Amino acid sequence: MKWTEYVIRCIFVVVSLCSYNHRVNTLDNGLLRQPPMGWLTWQRFRCVTNCQEDPDTCISENLIRTQAQLLVQGGYLAAGYEYIIIDDCWLSTARAPNGSLQPDSKRFPSGIRALADYVHSLGLKLGIYEDYGTETCGGYPGSLGHLEQDAKTFADWTVDYLKLDGCYADIKDFDTGYPAMEHALNATGFPIAFSCSWPAYQEFSKMKPNYTAIAQTCNLWRNWDDIDDSWESVYTILQWFGDNQDRLSPFHGPGHWNDPDMIVVGNYGLSPGQSRAQMALWSIMAAPLILSVDLRTISSWARDIILNKNLIAINQDPLGAMGRRILQLNDHVEIWSKPLLDDRVAFVALYPEPYGTPIHLSVNLTDLGLIRYQDYNFFESFYGSFLGKYHYTDKYNFTINPSGDVHAFYVESATPRKRFHKNLQKI
Ligand SMILES: *[C@@H]1O[C@H](CO)[C@@H](O)[C@H](O)[C@H]1NC(C)=O
Ligand SMILES: *[C@@H]1O[C@H](CO)[C@@H](O)[C@H](O)[C@H]1NC(C)=O
Ligand SMILES: *[C@@H]1O[C@H](CO)[C@@H](O)[C@H](O)[C@H]1NC(C)=O
């Protein structure tokens, strides 16, 4: 190999080691060593509380029980989606006389402990929502002044996951407030995964979140905007993560995850191509895969995307590396990549433009960072089909459909070597 190639390879190896082996001292509750997978009420069911008008979609124990059953029957739990999480609007408007939180008694007549028992009996885990401030975003009682009491209540109810929002609070208090809640959760002795909204509020206020402290406190944290049911929302969030990847990725890894918010596949807003894109790109980012969809009415094509074994394996890869946007080409095509175990690499090329016809592209393997081995085998990610063997000096040619579809693929060295990652299906 020429000395210039040698230098390029060496630089690539050093950069790779620096980006992906960065160690931070992080929360050590043993939970969420892989990005969490589950289902959450918010994006699809919001704060519907009038069960007279909307008996099937109001936030209630009926809704949770029904969706929990479908998580099991539909194969979602078997695919890894194990948390069922109640977002805002489950609480009674007042605390009990002894100060304890209590659910709305009409919508949750059996109480949260009974709901947790039911969810656990199905093999699922239960998540719940509260807020660090005086009120939740929906106006229900917040945890300020009751952190320890509320942590104990959640532990008594055997809640497995807490999403703690940041409405009606002084954002500057988060740096002490969220760690105080983590301390209170830890003191219960009951393992509760902790999802924080701490940096999201601070990023919006142009403060600089202390991600070192956040990763010491939270298992996952929302960094940015709430997702809505549209491609514009998905794309805007993706761009924000791409633009900020250098500052975010060092804090991302087993037990502590950046969270670009829910998967909205299966609702009203995304085309099939855009749905493939969200699932593939969230997998590349090693993002939490938290669905928010009505499992009673989801289409089979959306279900197939959500349950795709190869994409889930890429998302759940034990390295836990946060994928990065590595190239931005003409026509706003961008390529993201994520290193996987055993020197394999996953890629997603996204074509957002609505120019009506598929785009044909040609990319040097060297521009994809594929310079560690002589030859690579390429596989399509959704189906696992073999796409060909390429030398590292070759170009890779591919086609992407317009309007937010993707071409997703993964590569491995073509030289016979170690076992394949056991989770990745191969046809
Ligand atoms: C507080 O009151 C609620 C509602 O009456 C009850 O369920 C709960 O067990 C009480 N908590 C404590 C710690 O006594
Ligand atoms: C509490 O924190 C300690 C020290 O980080 C950790 O070993 C333990 O697992 C935590 N316990 C719970 C219940 O989170
Ligand atoms: C960020 O948090 C870490 C860990 O708590 C702390 O050591 C550090 O001083 C904080 N940095 C700033 C700028 O406050």
Side-chain angles (χ1 to χ4, degrees):
M1 125 175 74
K2 288 195 301 239
W3 72 269
T4 43
E5 286 172 27
Y6 180 77
V7 168
I8 289 170
R9 281 199 198 197
C10 288
I11 289 171
F12 180 73
V13 169
V14 169
V15 168
S16 304
L17 291 175
C18 292
S19 349
Y20 302 120
N21 290 358
H22 185 104
R23 294 260 176 272
V24 279
N25 177 18
T26 52
L27 177 62
D28 176 29
N29 61 5
L31 301 171
L32 306 191
R33 305 301 297 171
Q34 286 157 308
M37 295 174 66
W39 182 100
L40 173 70
T41 48
W42 185 255
Q43 203 295 125
R44 176 62 182 77
F45 297 101
R46 302 285 161 146
C47 192
V48 175
T49 52
N50 186 338
C51 294
Q52 241 92 52
E53 256 174 42
D54 298 294
D56 294 336
T57 58
C58 64
I59 303 301
S60 65
E61 63 182 46
N62 282 341
L63 178 69
I64 301 302
R65 283 171 164 259
T66 307
Q67 300 292 321
Q69 288 160 14
L70 291 170
L71 278 169
V72 178
Q73 287 162 14
Y76 301 91
L77 172 61
Y81 295 96
E82 62 174 338
Y83 287 95
I84 183 161
I85 309 159
I86 316 169
D87 205 280
D88 203 352
C89 306
W90 62 273
L91 281 159
S92 165
T93 50
R95 289 177 178 267
N98 63 15
S100 286
L101 289 173
Q102 53 186 0
D104 181 276
S105 60
K106 287 219 181 64
R107 292 180 286 117
F108 293 87
S110 316
I112 302 299
R113 175 61 200 254
L115 188 56
D117 288 347
Y118 178 70
V119 159
H120 292 153
S121 76
L122 297 176
L124 293 160
K125 293 178 171 150
L126 185 70
I128 214 159
Y129 167 102
E130 241 297 6
D131 189 286
Y132 173 72
T134 53
E135 288 175 29
T136 73
C137 299
Y140 295 88
S143 277
L144 202 64
H146 298 268
L147 294 182
E148 283 172 28
Q149 184 175 20
D150 293 352
K152 282 201 192 99
T153 300
F154 297 139
D156 286 348
W157 289 343
T158 64
V159 164
D160 305 288
Y161 180 114
L162 172 66
K163 173 178 173 181
L164 192 67
D165 210 338
C167 276
Y168 300 109
D170 186 340
I171 293 167
K172 289 192 289 297
D173 291 348
F174 288 177
D175 291 6
T176 52
Y178 275 91
M181 189 53 163
E182 190 280 318
H183 194 76
L185 291 171
N186 184 280
T188 68
F190 190 77
I192 300 178
F194 192 27
S195 165
C196 301
S197 302
W198 171 4
Y201 288 85
Q202 294 187 338
E203 293 276 5
F204 264 107
S205 318
K206 306 245 184 305
M207 282 173 70
K208 237 181 147 227
N210 184 341
Y211 281 106
T212 304
I214 290 165
Q216 284 170 3
T217 305
C218 312
N219 289 114
L220 65 156
W221 51 85
R222 284 284 311 287
N223 307 74
W224 192 240
D225 218 352
D226 282 1
I227 202 159
D228 281 323
D229 188 12
S230 75
W231 171 246
E232 186 194 6
S233 173
V234 169
Y235 186 65
T236 307
I237 289 172
L238 180 75
Q239 294 316 302
W240 188 86
F241 277 80
D243 293 346
N244 292 283
Q245 60 191 7
D246 292 338
R247 31 234 166 91
L248 303 179
S249 58
F251 300 98
H252 194 89
H256 44 97
W257 311 99
N258 293 288
D259 178 7
D261 211 3
M262 290 160 274
I263 298 284
V264 295
V265 173
N267 295 312
Y268 306 106
L270 301 190
S271 71
Q274 293 161 354
S275 302
R276 286 161 36 85
Q278 197 197 9
M279 187 67 191
L281 288 157
W282 261 235
S283 292
I284 285 278
M285 286 193 283
L289 296 179
I290 309 288
L291 314 173
S292 191
V293 60
D294 191 341
L295 298 173
R296 290 168 295 205
T297 54
I298 189 171
S299 68
S300 61
W301 63 259
R303 178 175 171 273
D304 287 348
I305 290 171
I306 286 167
L307 292 179
N308 187 285
K309 287 194 161 56
N310 292 342
L311 294 185
I312 291 172
I314 288 167
N315 175 270
Q316 298 281 296
D317 182 85
L319 285 186
M322 179 174 154
R324 302 167 64 83
R325 188 176 64 197
I326 56 165
L327 289 175
Q328 290 175 287
L329 309 172
N330 294 334
D331 299 301
H332 298 111
V333 169
E334 56 193 76
I335 302 185
W336 289 67
S337 93
K338 169 175 164 57
L340 305 173
L341 205 62
D342 294 341
D343 282 340
R344 292 167 321 117
V345 189
F347 295 91
V348 173
L350 167 69
Y351 182 34
E353 293 298 334
Y355 293 152
T357 196
I359 191 169
H360 303 294
L361 293 160
S362 184
V363 181
N364 293 317
L365 266 63
T366 50
D367 292 333
L368 295 174
L370 298 176
I371 46 182
R372 289 180 89 163
Y373 298 98
Q374 291 287 317
D375 297 296
Y376 290 89
N377 287 328
F378 278 54
F379 301 87
E380 201 280 336
S381 295
F382 281 87
Y383 304 105
S385 46
F386 181 57
L387 296 170
K389 179 175 162 180
Y390 293 84
H391 192 254
Y392 80 96
T393 55
D394 288 344
K395 282 175 179 297
Y396 175 58
N397 301 321
F398 57 97
T399 300
I400 322 175
N401 293 339
S403 303
D405 206 341
V406 287
H407 172 57
F409 56 102
Y410 64 91
V411 309
E412 58 194 22
S413 166
T415 324
R417 24 186 283 286
K418 294 177 274 183
R419 68 187 163 78
F420 294 131
H421 182 302
K422 67 176 183 337
N423 290 332
L424 212 64
Q425 308 287 306
K426 293 174 62 73
I427 289 172

